[in-house]
Amino acid sequence: GANAEALRQAVLDLPLPDLLLMSVADPSALPPDHPAAGKKLIDGKAAAYVCRGLVCDPPETDPARLRQLRQRN
């Protein structure tokens, strides 16, 4: 939906040179060892999970707050 597209654009705007962007329609269909396994909607909204190495930030549903990650990099 629109929220998912806004999150996608916010992630693409981040200064992450080694960015890997995955859009998963049905995370339950992923194998349990897949990096996106268990990641899901938050309160019915698309969520972005930004990870660096093996550590992920909490899921974010707000594109504006997601863009603020650039200030922490």
Side-chain angles (χ1 to χ4, degrees):
N3 186 55
E5 181 55 32
L7 286 173
R8 181 184 154 306
Q9 190 56 55
V11 168
L12 291 174
D13 290 344
L14 293 173
L16 301 172
D18 55 351
L19 173 69
L20 171 64
L21 176 63
M22 298 175 70
S23 182
V24 179
D26 183 9
S28 67
L30 296 171
D33 61 340
H34 191 282
K39 308 293 192 256
K40 57 187 177 182
L41 299 176
I42 304 296
D43 296 328
K45 297 180 184 177
Y49 293 82
V50 178
C51 304
R52 291 168 192 87
L54 299 175
V55 178
C56 297
D57 290 339
E60 184 54 71
T61 59
D62 182 345
R65 285 196 303 253
L66 187 56
R67 284 188 182 92
Q68 291 174 357
L69 287 174
R70 119 182 16 205
Q71 297 170 357
R72 292 187 285 184
N73 290 330

